Amino acid sequence: MTITKSLAEDMYRKMYAIRAFEEKVEALFAAGELPGFVHLYLGQEACATGVCANLTPQDYITSTHRGHGHCIAKGGALDRMMAELYAKKTGYNKGKGGSMHLASTDIGILGANGINAGGMPLAVGAALSAKLQKNGRVAVSFLGDGASNQGTFHESLNLAAALCVPVVFVCENNQFAVGTRITESTKIKDIAMRAAGYGMPGAVADGMNVVKVYEAAGELIEAARKGKGPALLELKTWRFRGHFQGEPATYRKKEEEDEWLKKDPLDISAAALSDLKLLNAARIAEIRKEVEAELARAVEFGRTSPSPEPADALLDVFA
């Protein structure tokens, strides 16, 4: 999979946008400005970015409760995302969905999902629609390691394989399902091994390196687009914060945490792209400055946007 200079810059821009957005959300939530709960994507920036770099705006993704990064990587606008987190009328879901239900069908985001593995069957359905319409689209379903032990996981993989639909299941294995270590709930070494049971390819990649993610995801997505059916990709990664913001995460060993924090995906990915002569320190500084200015505007947009009216509760209700 060839990475051009413009693609390299776009991937770094999105990774840094995710990092900056999540750090700002962390601060705003701590200050009491944002309602509800937030599950931060810090540490997993290379996963969403590398996968979505292979997708078109018409392709589909389904997300998880930790969905801000997926939304940004797929092309979500920071201002509308921030407005949604502020529960404002100008947000992607008009202030009704919040952090765990970000969606934009205009760019193929079928929604973050507070139900563990809840997005998987939706992605299978979207992929089936693409197959029946022969429109060349692909669906990607992001899930966590905890979701791989849900019945919905197995049902979705089985149905996708039986129907041979163009969907790639991307398991972001950040080692913990809330506070349960994956090795305590799963016997196999790699979750990707489960793909063999459904007659589909399974692959594992370093989720802290955007180049590795882009290449691994690219092969599976391209195969799905050519009608070769579904696949399962496991990305080994680590969330830099607790399960949700405010959780102490005492179930993780400090020594282990320190080692993973040294594997910052922004640093690793910047070095990998620089080695390919596609990115340099000066351009990185420019991109960061541009993102920070965009984020500042997004926060102001969220703060000053109007709140929904009481009558708005009856809008967009279909059932």
Side-chain angles (χ1 to χ4, degrees), residues 264-277:
D264 191 312
L266 266 70
D267 295 340
I268 291 173
S269 300
L273 294 169
S274 296
D275 288 344
L276 295 173
K277 310 298 182 186

Side-chain angles (χ1 to χ4, degrees), residues 52-61 74 107-108 136-138 225:
C52 289
N54 290 283
L55 302 177
T56 70
Q58 291 73 40
D59 289 326
Y60 307 106
I61 68 166
K74 190 61 167 65
I107 51 176
R137 296 180 183 182
V138 170
R225 205 181 295 280

Side-chain angles (χ1 to χ4, degrees), residues 12 18 28 48 59 71 78 91 130 183 192 226 240 248 261 263 280 308 319:
Y12 186 81
I18 295 170
L28 294 172
D59 289 326
C71 188
L78 301 188
T183 53
K226 291 180 178 178
F240 283 5
L261 289 174
K263 304 174 184 178
N280 57 46

Side-chain angles (χ1 to χ4, degrees), residues 13 67 79 104 113 131-132 228 231 239 274-275 279 293-294:
R13 179 184 299 276
D79 55 358
S104 176
N113 203 310
K131 178 179 179 179
L132 294 175
K228 296 183 179 180
R239 51 174 161 81
S274 296
D275 288 344
L279 202 60
E294 181 184 0

Side-chain angles (χ1 to χ4, degrees), residues 17 24 32 51 74 98 105 109 127 134 161 173 177-178 238 243 248-249 296 314:
K24 178 58 70 173
V51 171
K74 190 61 167 65
T105 54
I109 302 173
K134 300 179 181 179
N173 183 357
V178 187
W238 182 266
H243 172 64
L314 302 177

Side-chain angles (χ1 to χ4, degrees), residues 98-109:
S99 172
M100 284 192 284
H101 299 94
L102 287 166
S104 176
T105 54
D106 291 341
I107 51 176
I109 302 173

Side-chain angles (χ1 to χ4, degrees), residues 278-295:
L278 299 172
L279 202 60
N280 57 46
R283 187 63 184 126
I284 286 174
E286 291 175 353
I287 291 172
R288 288 188 171 217
K289 187 175 181 180
E290 292 164 2
V291 168
E292 287 161 7
E294 181 184 0
L295 180 58

